[in-house]
């Protein structure tokens, strides 16, 4: 029997359709710092960098560089 629908030799490759926008990504970090925000490095491997309102890292520490509708950190570049 001839099976024209046999896909056993087909190779598929996944491609990234998006890019994470973490605070420690170079472009995100630069954008946040240029807007007056502060970015701390991850405290240990596997954890996220954080965005802060102040250099003492005592006011709001978000583990994201973009957060729609988060007005507390809008002025320091978190979109």
């Amino acid at each position: 029997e001839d099976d024209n629908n046999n896909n056993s030799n087909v190779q598929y490759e996944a491609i990234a359709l998006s890019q994470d926008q973490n605070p420690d990504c170079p472009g995100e970090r630069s954008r946040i710092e240029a807007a007056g925000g502060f970015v701390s490095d991850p405290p240990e491997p596997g954890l996220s960098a954080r965005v802060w309102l102040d250099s003492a890292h005592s006011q709001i520490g978000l583990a994201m560089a973009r957060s729609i509708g988060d007005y507390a950190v809008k002025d320091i570049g978190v979109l």
Side-chain angles (χ1 to χ4, degrees), residues 28-44:
E28 293 297 301
R29 183 179 204 124
S30 296
R31 184 179 59 74
I32 291 164
E33 290 174 345
F38 300 88
V39 178
S40 64
D41 292 325
E44 60 184 72

Side-chain angles (χ1 to χ4, degrees), residues 40-51:
S40 64
D41 292 325
E44 60 184 72
L47 296 179
S48 296
R50 292 183 109 49
V51 177

Side-chain angles (χ1 to χ4, degrees), residues 8-79:
S8 62
N9 294 325
V10 175
Q11 298 278 327
Y12 294 99
E13 180 180 341
I15 58 170
L17 298 178
S18 64
Q19 179 179 0
D20 288 344
Q21 296 169 324
N22 297 321
D24 50 343
C25 292
E28 293 297 301
R29 183 179 204 124
S30 296
R31 184 179 59 74
I32 291 164
E33 290 174 345
F38 300 88
V39 178
S40 64
D41 292 325
E44 60 184 72
L47 296 179
S48 296
R50 292 183 109 49
V51 177
W52 303 90
L53 290 173
D54 63 327
S55 61
H57 303 166
S58 65
Q59 299 176 20
I60 300 182
L62 293 177
M64 63 192 77
R66 298 184 183 234
S67 177
I68 296 172
D70 196 336
Y71 295 105
V73 288
K74 180 182 177 192
D75 292 338
I76 60 163
V78 177
L79 305 174

